[in-house]
Each structure stands twice: as C-alpha cells, then as structure tokens.
Amino acid sequence: MSRKVRLAVSAYGVGGPGQHGLWKDPRIAKNASIDIDYYIKLAKTAEQALFDAFFIVDSQFINATYPAHYLNRLEPLTLLSALAVSTSHLGLVATMTTSYNDPFNVARRLASLELISGGRSGWNVVTSGDAGAAGNFSREEHYDYDTRYARGLEFVQVAQGLWDSYEEDAFPRDRATRTFLDPGRQHALNHKGEHFQVAGPLNVSRSPQGQPVIFQAGDSEQGRDLGAAIGEGIFTHAASIAQGQAFYNDLKGRAAAKGRDPEQIVIMPGVSVYIGDTDKEAREIELDLQTSDRDFGRALAELGRPFAWHDFRQYDLDAPFPQEALVYAERGFRTGAEKIAKLAQDNSFTLRQTVEFISAPKPTPFAGAPATVADQIQEWFEARALDGLNVGVGHPSQWRRFREEVVPILQERGVVRTAYESTTLRGNLGLPVPENRYTKAREQESSLLRI
C-alpha cells in the first residue's frame, strides 16, 4: 500500500481545551458530550469521509476550571462499544491510563471491543500526569515520573501477553467430537514483575487483527522512549514543520534503535483546523473561536495543572515567575511545566505575563481556504513531519468544511484514500498483525525439528 495521510477525529462535544465558551453557541447541542446520538452522527460522517479512527480523550480528575466537555462526558469504552455497532470500518481508539487501572481488566475490555467491532479497536496508552487523580483512587500521592513510565511499560507488556492467551485455532467447536476448546492452544501468562502479578489466561479469544493497535502520547524523554518501545500510532503536537520533523525523526530513530521497523509507526499530531472562503476569513474565524471566552482567573488556576495543581494564586502576579514551583512538576506534567518555566525565564516574564502569553490566541499551521489547508497538510506529509492528523472537532461548521472541502482535494491529489483497504484498523493503517507468541514458538520448534 502506498503511503497515505492517515486521519483520526477527536470529539470535544460542548468544547475542549481552548474552547471553554463553545457550548454557548446555539448551533452546539448543550448536552453533546453525553449524547450518544451526537457521537454516532459524528462517527458516521467520519466513516463517510474515510477516516481511519475515532479517538476519545479521557482523564481521571476534574475541577471547575476544566473545559465544559471534560466536566461531563461519557467513559471511552462504553461509548466506543456503541459506535462499534453503528460503524463498519472506522477505528475506535480509547484513552485508558496505566496508572489507575489493572492490566487484566483493560486487556479484557479492549479484547471485547475488538470482537464487537470486528478488529477495529485501539488503545491510547497514558500514564496520567494529572496529579489530582490520586485522590480518586485511594492514593495520597500521585506516582512520580519514573514509576509512572516503568509501570506503563510493564502494563502494556502484560496486556499484550494476555491477548496471546488463545491461539487463533484454540476453539474447534466440533460437535461431532464434543471438542469446544483445544487446551493446548490456551496459555496462562504467569507474569511476575515489579508492578504486576498476573496469572491469566484471558477469557476472550483472539480478534481479526490479532491485538488492538497501541497508540501513545508523551513528549518527555520517558514518554518518547515508551512510544518508541510500544507505540504503533503516536499522538503529538507540533507548531511548525521543523518541530514536526524533529519529533518524527527522533521518535522513529528511537524505535529503530530498539529493533523496531520505524515504518510501522504512524505519527499523527493533534490539530485544530480553521477553514474559511479565503485565508483572511479563516484567520478571523480562528481568532474568534480562540478568544470567545478568555478569562484570566481561570487561566491562572489552569497554570497549576502541569505543576501537579500547585496554586499559583498565592504569588504576586507582577513579580518574576516563581521558578521554585518546578519542584512540584515531578508528579505532574513535568515536560510541560519545564517548558513554561523556561519560557518565563528566557523572556524575563512576570507571573502575569506568563499567564497572558500562554492563554493568548496563537495562529495554527492549518488555517485558510480549503486549498490552502490541503496544501499545508500535503507539505507537512511530504516533508515527513507527520504521517497523519488527529483532527479535533470544535465547531460543527469547521468539521463539515474539513470533510466536505479539504478531504476531497487531498483525495484528488492521491494523498488520502478513496476507499477503505480493510475492515480492521491495522489493515487501514498499513500495520502488520502481531503473530501469537505461542504459535510462533511452536512453528520455530517444528522448523528446527525438520532440519
């Protein structure tokens, strides 16, 4: 299959990050984030536009400063199970944390979605940087960085081991011989590691695509290493082609160093797309949507999130940014916190200036008339700054214009598919089916015996 731009869509209902006021628009259903009909309609339109995947973000903690969508939204696996029976080709990717789950439960739920969807599930692996989540899971303190990522790697490895519990031919279901299961094709995992002890086997059979597709998002050193080790799809962010290329080359280089084929990793930055009749109009739409509900007090409170919800309201707004707050980031989003602190230091910003700069509207790379946006996507793709896009759905008119006006241009240019290649997510992403480890071992043993 020739290289194509891969497309995913992220649903933000009544308004996600940077769109706190979107719910006020009368064209937005006020209950969109908990309305299954909203998601079904969105998934069907994505499938009609031949998108690869429907992506559900998630978190385990909220407070009053969070965007409207985050305050009241459906749990990913429950939601995607409904979409699985409403679609036939679209991939279904759920965000689930390795910090506040257990491998057996996650492996079982995803394996069930695999069978319900016919092999279209994906797992966006996160390690929960939001320190507030600890209080919702009987912990006094959130995991530190090293523990989170070590636990995350082992968690995924255990889940992958459980997905190999049954070989493809484990269930003869032969009534004549009264044989439902071939016990030799069922395998216990018996994992004993630093963070988990899991016996297995899993009580769900192998799916048409072998295992769910593993997605990952993380920009720290540990995050990039985790993505290079286990990620098949990588969600990221980049403000320019140069930044996109740097991340692309670094991530795929790390994967190659671990013995993986870098061409079997699909890098898909998350983007907001703004489309107008002209480039000028698109920028006006972008500015309007980004500034519709700006609030300094909320932005000041939100600044604490990457710093493990450290309260910045205690500081003098017009004094230099308090660099000492970085100590709290070890149990938060450390990479994001370090970027904020460095920005403030390099520019000699006060706390007020830091908040104003971070919360100010910023032009995105993908804004303009339909042909302009198509040009930008193609340029990034051909420069290998990305393999695809994870398009965030904010205003419904922008989602419609992207599907109906930008995607057809990319199809005419041959960089976006004109028909699905497969009924599985792996097949449409051009990813191989993982071989069952026990089947592989048996075949290798048989081959040696023949020599």
Side-chain angles (χ1 to χ4, degrees):
M1 187 185 344
S2 61
R3 186 169 177 260
K4 303 286 186 184
V5 173
R6 307 303 179 189
L7 295 173
V9 58
S10 293
Y12 287 102
V14 292
Q19 296 184 327
H20 285 75
L22 188 65
W23 67 272
K24 299 175 186 176
D25 191 310
R27 291 164 291 186
I28 308 291
K30 288 187 286 187
N31 68 335
S33 296
I34 55 169
D35 180 6
I36 191 59
D37 290 332
Y38 159 80
Y39 291 101
I40 290 173
K41 181 179 179 181
L42 187 61
K44 286 184 174 180
T45 58
E47 190 165 76
Q48 289 164 4
L50 304 177
F51 271 58
D52 291 272
F54 195 100
F55 173 53
I56 300 295
V57 299
D58 196 34
S59 62
Q60 308 298 313
F61 170 77
I62 58 166
N63 62 35
T65 70
Y66 273 57
H69 174 67
Y70 284 41
L71 297 175
N72 185 22
R73 56 179 168 174
L74 299 177
E75 186 277 327
L77 261 294
T78 309
L79 166 58
L80 291 176
S81 294
L83 299 189
V85 297
S86 305
T87 56
S88 57
H89 289 79
L90 188 68
L92 306 167
V93 184
T95 299
M96 287 185 287
T97 176
T98 59
S99 296
Y100 299 109
N101 276 303
D102 275 308
F104 190 91
N105 284 337
V106 167
R108 187 185 186 201
R109 291 161 65 197
L110 278 166
S112 297
L113 182 61
E114 275 285 274
L115 297 186
I116 293 170
S117 66
R120 292 185 283 130
S121 81
W123 173 19
N124 180 38
V125 176
V126 297
T127 64
S128 286
D130 209 327
N136 290 330
F137 293 89
S138 305
R139 287 186 59 86
E140 293 184 3
E141 190 174 52
H142 188 43
Y143 295 105
D144 61 54
Y145 242 69
D146 290 340
T147 301
R148 277 161 47 195
Y149 280 99
R151 177 186 169 96
L153 177 59
E154 186 179 338
F155 192 118
V156 174
Q157 291 170 337
V158 171
Q160 290 173 324
L162 289 169
W163 289 327
D164 278 349
S165 292
Y166 288 117
E167 296 181 59
E168 191 169 346
D169 54 354
F171 291 97
R173 300 181 179 91
D174 189 331
R175 289 182 173 132
T177 62
R178 299 184 179 183
T179 305
F180 187 79
L181 168 70
D182 177 351
R185 300 295 196 266
Q186 181 195 65
H187 304 277
L189 184 61
N190 294 319
H191 172 86
K192 293 183 179 180
E194 180 181 358
H195 301 279
F196 304 104
Q197 295 186 28
V198 183
L202 192 67
N203 56 344
V204 184
S205 59
R206 191 167 172 82
S207 79
Q209 67 171 354
Q211 294 187 3
V213 178
I214 300 294
F215 291 81
Q216 191 270 341
D219 197 34
S220 67
E221 284 296 308
Q222 292 98 325
R224 293 188 185 206
D225 273 342
L226 180 62
I230 54 94
E232 297 170 290
I234 303 293
F235 294 132
T236 182
H237 293 278
S240 66
I241 286 182
Q243 286 185 18
Q245 287 174 320
F247 180 88
Y248 189 102
N249 293 332
D250 179 64
L251 198 290
K252 295 207 174 190
R254 291 178 191 232
K258 294 177 184 293
R260 299 185 62 201
D261 181 353
E263 293 303 310
Q264 293 179 5
I265 299 174
V266 181
I267 294 181
M268 305 176 71
V271 300
S272 295
V273 178
Y274 300 96
I275 302 156
D277 292 338
T278 65
D279 292 355
K280 181 175 182 293
E281 182 185 63
R283 290 300 181 185
E284 290 170 351
I285 291 170
E286 175 187 51
L287 182 63
D288 179 61
L289 289 173
Q290 288 188 3
T291 59
S292 62
D293 199 35
R294 293 180 67 194
D295 180 273
F296 181 86
R298 183 177 61 223
L300 177 62
E302 286 180 338
L303 181 65
R305 187 177 185 227
F307 296 84
W309 286 108
H310 182 61
D311 188 0
F312 282 91
R313 293 172 296 182
Q314 64 188 286
Y315 299 102
D316 181 352
L317 286 171
D318 296 307
F321 178 86
Q323 295 288 331
E324 63 271 20
L326 259 180
V327 68
Y328 300 101
E330 180 62 28
R331 297 183 187 275
F333 294 94
R334 189 175 68 192
T335 302
E338 288 172 345
K339 288 180 179 178
I340 292 170
K342 186 175 188 304
L343 168 76
Q345 186 174 55
D346 291 349
N347 293 278
S348 300
F349 279 168
T350 63
L351 175 57
R352 185 191 305 277
Q353 290 170 325
T354 303
V355 174
E356 289 175 341
F357 182 89
I358 291 171
S359 61
K362 294 176 179 60
T364 58
F366 304 103
T372 300
V373 174
D375 288 343
Q376 292 162 340
I377 293 171
Q378 186 172 359
E379 183 181 5
W380 282 55
F381 177 66
E382 292 177 349
R384 290 194 177 260
L386 54 77
D387 295 313
L389 298 171
N390 185 18
V391 181
V393 175
H395 200 281
S397 65
Q398 292 296 298
W399 166 236
R400 177 189 58 77
R401 296 197 71 167
F402 183 76
R403 291 187 341 262
E404 297 180 2
E405 300 177 42
V406 177
V407 171
I409 294 173
L410 293 169
Q411 288 174 324
E412 290 172 6
R413 297 177 183 180
V415 294
V416 167
R417 68 162 60 89
T418 56
Y420 282 113
E421 299 84 9
S422 173
T423 58
T424 70
L425 179 55
R426 285 187 179 280
N428 286 320
L429 290 175
L431 298 173
V433 174
E435 190 173 4
N436 183 288
R437 67 190 66 190
Y438 303 105
T439 303
K440 183 177 180 180
R442 181 183 296 106
E443 290 173 349
Q444 289 175 339
E445 182 180 355
S446 177
S447 177
L448 289 172
L449 290 173
R450 288 195 300 268
I451 294 175

